[in-house]
Amino acid sequence: MRTTFGFMALCLTVSAFAAEPFDDKFRQLDEVLPTANTYRTASGAPGAAYWQQRADYTIRATLDESKRSLTGSEQIRYHNNSPDTLTYLWVQLDQNIYKKDSDARMMLTQPSREAWTKPRGAEDGFKFEGLRGVLAGRDFDGGFKIGAVTAGGQPLKHVINRTMMRIDLPTPLKPGQTYSFNIDWSYNINEQLVLGGRSGYEHFEADKNDLFEIAQWFPRMAAYYDVTGWQHKQFLGSGEFTLEFGDYDVKLTVPADHVVASTGELQNPGDVLSAAQRDRLAKAKTSDKPVVIVTQAEAEQAEKSVSTASKTWHFKAANVRDFAWASSRKFIWDAQGYKKGGTNVLAMSYYPKEGNPLWEKYSTQSIVHTIEQYNKYSFDYPYPTAISVNGPVGGMEYPMISFNGPRPTKDKKTGEISYSQQTKYGLIGVIIHEVGHNYYPMIINSDERQWTWMDEGLNTFVQYLAEQAWEDNYPSRRGEARNIVDYMRSQNQVPIMTNSESLLQFGNNAYAKPATALNILRETILGRELFDYAFKEYAQRWKFKRPTPADFFRTMEDASGTDLDWFWRGWFYTTDAVDISIDGISEYGVNTKDPEKEKAWRRAQKEAQPISISQQLNKSLPKRTDAHPELKDFYNEHDEFTVTNKDRNTYAEAVDKLEPWEKQLLDQGKHLYLVDFSNVGGLVMPLILEIELKSGKKYVERVPAEVWRYSPKKITKLIVTDEPMVGLTQDPYWETADIDTSNNAWPRKPTQSRLELFKTERDKVNLMRDYNTPLKAKDDKSKAEAGN
């Protein structure tokens, strides 16, 4: 619809409707975020009094391959850097989730009805692997067996509460003091492909060998920090961990023919590597492509026998928050150095022959690429090694080492080895993700037990950036706004700011949604320059420290100079979705007061009206004035649209009274449109408007999200164009995760799909027919038996 309005009313910009109760989407997060203090400032930076604890470890452990068990002892030197006096210490016993009566195990053996059954109408079902794991968990003797807990040779009182152990101190540990104690322990290693988890062994039936990926393998100090005190939430499987930084001195005794990959730097290569291997390793440090340290031929030769001797591998790691390792005689090992800026790292990959040709081609290259890209958005990688290991764990991270699962497949009939596109990019993607976890949260030490998104979401976002730098059109699973739309439409959601163990749709909630939100913040809200500066500032501020969500939110606002409380509230604290609808458009022209123009415009409006059915039928009727033309007069030649001299005089008088700028405004001939928008989904976002003009020209106007501040449900926006507008599209590039694009265009565009035609299958269930169906014989013998 087009109407006109006076030239003195051009001050109109936005009209808001507030008939319903006002919901302030832009209110500040003051009532949600914790009050700033001397530990954590209102700007999001660590405060002048910021502190964190420290725990140093000396560990000695032995792998018994035949029994698939691990025995060890450790000394923990705990530094109380807090202002608090501690009367007890908490230690994590994460292996205890494998105890038969653990909370995690009991939950696995009592699946919900929804998890147990197939969709309604089908028979009850359960995956082979799932049922195997449930039943095996009943028999597996898992969990830590804690031996002596001592300090200075004297036993320490301790209490084990499922996956946590409290150690009662003989005397309170005051601020600034250090306390050392010892723990002896052992446990049986789980078969990972059966019982799952973040570590375990994989058995290769073809050559009767095992591959061990060992993590969460020793009692570890729980975190104690200013926001939560002791982080002693029970480990149920989803919320991973948050730990204290420290130095590690670790000796691992394994079968002599094993190769060990580990957190830290190898201290005794002369004891465990051959001269040829040491020489290859030295060359790898300055090579621009991977150098093979243990060849496939050497690994295949090692598979043929089992050594009864043992070797001890000695590793040290400085300022890390955890320690993991892997061991097998099946390992092929390659390495490549990367040195730039403050980074001087040896990227290494360990994999069995079953991983080739995929792993030898992509693994180490993916590590180097990850470090190169992540350094751009955070800080220079500070550690001396970065490792990717192929084994049973699909994807898991620890300082300097990650476990990654994808492998090629071998055809059972032909023996041909191949891999799918999904496997290729799955391998590259998971290596980027898990190596990237060195930054988030292994160095930027967020609390995963509480906030999974702070490590998984942030890391998935940077993973997306790194993947897109790998090659054009890299098929990233997460990051693009359009990829999260189905989840945002779904009903079974909880806010991102939900405790890790209570998350629904874990992958979408903790990985995809926060990663997508950050990508939208970067591309659509802030722009890359502002975002990248603020995001890197967060990384620099909190490396080797423990940030909380408030620290991230405040830093991003502080370093970008932008109030983003509305964004955090909508994306992180609600389950609202983006669904902005174009409801209607009114076209306005400026009344020039010129009778020649205005009466001509009104005549055109009337002539554009449809001719009534009566007028159409009356056209053929004979008219008296046609027969008697003398009856026609002045009014047969003139109508209400005729311009009179009086009209012209009135216009001239009006123009004489105008200022020059007012005359110019009348002559511009602008086209004005009032566009009605409604916020159907509830999540306020900017308006991204692609305007199409009559000439075919298209351009985009970006209106900040604050346009909704006075009315978060309905607004009317003024659009001014130089020529008639013929089309308008909201979010033309699908950059806001709008869940319903059918209401994003004017004029409305039809939704395209496909209609499937099918025949009705009668007699689908026919017991008589099915009973008499010939039995398929498996081989010649069974065929003969079937014939008899």
Side-chain angles (χ1 to χ4, degrees):
M1 179 181 72
R2 183 181 188 272
T3 58
T4 62
F5 63 117
F7 60 88
M8 298 305 291
L10 288 175
C11 59
L12 176 63
T13 54
V14 177
S15 173
F17 302 97
E20 299 183 26
F22 185 66
D23 177 16
D24 184 6
K25 302 284 188 181
F26 293 86
R27 68 188 185 278
Q28 299 297 284
L29 286 174
D30 294 344
E31 80 275 18
V32 177
L33 300 183
T35 303
N37 52 42
T38 57
Y39 307 134
R40 298 168 189 273
T41 68
S43 69
Y50 177 83
W51 56 268
Q52 64 186 34
Q53 308 290 68
R54 181 177 182 85
D56 299 322
Y57 295 81
T58 301
I59 306 176
R60 306 292 181 255
T62 300
L63 171 66
D64 188 326
E65 183 176 24
S66 62
K67 295 181 179 179
R68 293 167 176 152
S69 66
L70 197 65
T71 302
S73 63
E74 64 184 300
Q75 181 186 74
I76 302 177
R77 184 172 175 82
Y78 186 72
H79 305 259
N80 183 14
N81 298 324
S82 79
D84 308 323
T85 297
L86 306 177
T87 58
Y88 51 79
L89 307 177
W90 280 103
V91 175
Q92 293 183 185
L93 303 177
D94 289 352
Q95 280 294 323
N96 283 0
I97 65 169
Y98 293 107
K99 285 183 174 291
K100 297 177 183 180
D101 60 349
S102 73
D103 291 348
R105 184 57 51 195
M106 295 303 292
M107 288 191 295
L108 285 176
T109 57
Q110 299 176 43
S112 67
R113 189 66 181 168
E114 290 76 17
W116 183 267
T117 59
K118 293 180 179 178
R120 186 172 59 183
E123 295 184 15
D124 287 352
F126 202 69
K127 289 183 178 180
F128 275 100
E129 296 87 352
L131 186 56
R132 181 190 184 195
V134 168
L135 298 179
R138 293 175 178 269
D139 300 325
F140 179 63
D141 183 18
F144 281 118
K145 295 175 174 58
I146 300 297
V149 181
T150 61
Q154 299 299 313
L156 283 175
K157 181 182 177 182
H158 58 280
V159 175
I160 296 176
N161 176 18
R162 296 171 288 177
T163 62
M164 302 298 298
M165 178 169 69
R166 191 189 72 233
I167 296 176
D168 296 332
L169 300 175
T171 58
L173 186 62
K174 296 180 180 180
Q177 290 186 334
T178 299
Y179 186 72
S180 296
F181 61 100
N182 297 76
I183 303 176
D184 296 336
W185 46 266
S186 64
Y187 72 90
N188 294 320
I189 302 170
N190 63 294
E191 186 173 1
Q192 199 280 334
L193 296 176
V194 176
L195 295 181
R198 292 172 170 82
S199 66
Y201 75 88
E202 177 182 8
H203 180 66
F204 293 80
E205 185 60 33
D207 53 55
K208 309 300 182 186
N209 283 297
D210 292 337
L211 188 160
F212 296 87
E213 291 181 324
I214 307 297
Q216 296 167 292
W217 56 286
F218 59 98
R220 302 174 296 173
M221 285 302 308
Y224 181 84
Y225 65 107
D226 58 291
V227 175
T228 66
W230 285 108
Q231 176 51 286
H232 46 38
K233 294 181 186 296
Q234 293 293 326
F235 182 44
L236 301 178
S238 294
E240 292 176 347
F241 41 79
T242 185
L243 300 164
E244 307 291 5
F245 287 104
D247 295 340
Y248 284 73
D249 184 316
V250 179
K251 292 183 178 180
L252 304 168
T253 300
V254 301
D257 51 0
H258 272 216
V259 172
V260 176
S262 174
T263 298
E265 287 186 286
L266 181 63
Q267 302 298 300
N268 60 336
D271 297 336
V272 295
L273 302 180
S274 68
Q277 291 167 347
R278 295 197 301 272
D279 182 60
R280 297 167 188 165
L281 195 59
K283 291 179 180 178
K285 293 180 180 180
T286 56
S287 175
D288 59 357
K289 60 183 179 181
V291 174
V292 178
I293 314 304
V294 175
T295 68
Q296 181 162 333
E298 291 169 340
E300 290 177 345
Q301 182 62 35
E303 290 176 348
K304 297 177 181 179
S305 61
V306 176
S307 174
T308 58
S310 64
K311 286 183 179 178
T312 297
W313 296 61
H314 185 195
F315 295 91
K316 287 186 177 181
N319 208 26
V320 294
R321 63 170 234 174
D322 201 2
F323 195 102
W325 52 287
S327 184
S328 180
R329 64 179 55 84
K330 290 178 64 66
F331 276 145
I332 303 163
W333 174 12
D334 69 51
Q336 175 185 340
Y338 176 78
K339 185 175 183 180
K340 186 176 180 180
T343 295
N344 186 5
V345 61
L346 191 59
M348 299 188 286
S349 296
Y350 299 74
Y351 44 93
K353 64 178 185 296
E354 287 79 5
N356 274 338
L358 195 62
W359 272 72
E360 64 186 3
K361 185 177 182 69
Y362 291 114
S363 179
T364 299
Q365 291 274 19
S366 298
I367 299 172
V368 172
H369 178 75
T370 303
I371 293 172
E372 181 181 67
Q373 294 301 314
Y374 273 65
N375 283 6
K376 293 180 183 178
Y377 301 105
S378 54
F379 44 75
D380 288 340
Y381 184 82
Y383 293 134
T385 62
I387 296 171
S388 171
V389 179
N390 179 228
V393 179
M396 192 58 203
E397 76 282 357
Y398 302 93
M400 303 187 226
I401 188 171
S402 61
F403 303 154
N404 303 301
R407 288 178 187 154
T409 55
K410 185 175 182 179
D411 188 279
K412 293 181 179 179
K413 294 182 178 179
T414 66
E416 180 181 352
I417 296 174
S418 63
Y419 54 84
S420 66
Q421 182 186 49
Q422 181 180 0
T423 299
K424 169 191 170 180
Y425 289 109
L427 175 64
I428 297 169
V430 75
I431 291 175
I432 292 173
H433 184 88
E434 304 306 342
V435 173
H437 268 310
N438 278 282
Y439 300 79
Y440 316 90
M442 294 301 154
I443 296 172
I444 303 170
N445 187 19
S446 57
D447 186 346
E448 299 169 86
R449 278 277 161 87
Q450 184 63 36
W451 310 116
T452 298
W453 71 266
M454 286 201 74
D455 72 294
E456 298 297 357
L458 268 63
N459 185 48
T460 300
F461 164 67
V462 187
Q463 173 193 349
Y464 168 77
L465 301 181
E467 287 175 345
Q468 294 307 302
W470 180 273
E471 68 184 29
D472 286 338
N473 302 314
Y474 186 100
S476 296
R477 293 172 56 217
R478 294 161 173 158
E480 281 279 9
R482 65 190 67 192
N483 294 344
I484 198 68
V485 167
D486 286 342
Y487 171 67
M488 299 295 281
R489 286 195 191 111
S490 70
Q491 299 300 310
N492 191 28
Q493 295 186 49
V494 294
I496 291 175
M497 290 291 289
T498 299
N499 178 263
S500 298
E501 298 292 354
S502 300
L503 295 180
L504 304 176
Q505 301 192 64
F506 196 88
N508 280 321
N509 182 288
Y511 294 68
K513 185 177 178 181
T516 304
L518 292 178
N519 194 41
I520 292 173
L521 185 61
R522 182 177 189 248
E523 305 285 30
T524 302
I525 310 298
L526 291 177
R528 294 188 175 188
E529 184 177 0
L530 279 178
F531 180 94
D532 291 351
Y533 180 86
F535 194 76
K536 191 164 188 174
E537 179 67 17
Y538 167 74
Q540 296 284 351
R541 285 179 176 183
W542 290 99
K543 62 181 178 181
F544 296 110
K545 296 182 176 66
R546 180 177 285 108
T548 67
D551 300 316
F552 177 68
F553 297 153
R554 285 168 166 161
T555 294
M556 291 300 295
E557 295 192 22
D558 179 67
S560 71
T562 308
D563 182 358
L564 297 170
D565 280 18
W566 64 271
F567 185 84
W568 310 127
R569 183 183 296 280
W571 278 93
F572 288 78
Y573 287 91
T574 78
T575 57
D576 291 345
V578 179
D579 183 7
I580 297 174
S581 171
I582 299 177
D583 295 335
I585 297 182
S586 299
E587 180 182 0
Y588 289 83
V590 177
N591 191 330
T592 65
K593 299 298 183 181
D594 184 344
E596 306 288 351
K597 295 179 180 179
E598 296 305 318
K599 285 194 172 182
W601 180 80
R602 289 200 295 272
R603 182 189 298 277
Q605 294 300 108
K606 184 173 182 179
E607 290 175 349
Q609 295 176 2
I611 301 173
S612 73
I613 187 64
S614 295
Q615 286 178 312
Q616 295 179 46
L617 296 174
N618 289 340
K619 278 283 186 181
S620 60
L621 293 178
K623 308 298 189 300
R624 177 165 290 276
T625 54
D626 292 334
H628 301 278
E630 69 274 11
L631 295 177
K632 294 183 179 180
D633 65 1
F634 175 85
Y635 291 104
N636 290 100
E637 297 180 11
H638 301 278
D639 57 19
E640 70 269 29
F641 304 120
T642 299
V643 179
T644 67
N645 288 334
K646 182 180 179 181
D647 293 334
R648 295 184 180 97
N649 291 335
T650 301
Y651 172 63
E653 292 171 1
V655 170
D656 286 342
K657 296 177 182 179
L658 294 179
E659 298 290 336
W661 67 268
E662 293 173 319
K663 293 179 182 179
Q664 184 181 4
L665 192 60
L666 287 179
D667 292 337
Q668 286 182 349
K670 297 293 185 182
H671 297 261
L672 289 78
Y673 301 87
L674 289 181
V675 186
D676 298 329
F677 296 93
S678 60
N679 181 5
V680 181
L683 187 54
V684 295
M685 288 294 284
L687 299 179
I688 304 151
L689 306 176
E690 182 183 70
I691 298 167
E692 181 179 0
L693 302 180
K694 188 176 182 179
S695 65
K697 177 184 177 182
K698 290 183 180 181
Y699 64 95
V700 173
E701 284 191 3
R702 293 178 177 269
V703 183
E706 283 78 5
V707 72
W708 300 96
R709 65 194 183 281
Y710 299 128
S711 179
K713 294 186 178 180
K714 289 182 179 293
I715 59 171
T716 297
K717 177 72 178 70
L718 174 66
I719 296 176
V720 181
T721 63
D722 293 328
E723 56 179 292
M725 181 172 69
V726 297
L728 180 67
T729 303
Q730 153 63 16
D731 194 14
Y733 308 126
W734 294 359
E735 59 187 279
T736 66
D738 194 306
I739 65 172
D740 183 7
T741 57
S742 69
N743 58 18
N744 283 23
W746 170 85
R748 285 283 190 262
K749 298 177 181 178
T751 301
Q752 296 185 346
S753 185
R754 284 290 187 272
L755 178 67
E756 295 291 339
L757 299 180
F758 59 91
K759 291 183 177 181
T760 302
E761 183 178 352
R762 296 175 180 171
D763 211 20
K764 187 173 183 180
V765 178
N766 187 327
L767 181 62
M768 182 184 294
R769 177 194 63 200
D770 296 345
Y771 181 83
N772 292 313
T773 298
L775 186 65
K776 291 182 179 180
K778 295 183 179 180
D779 50 38
D780 292 339
K781 180 180 179 181
S782 57
K783 288 179 182 178
E785 292 174 349
N788 294 333

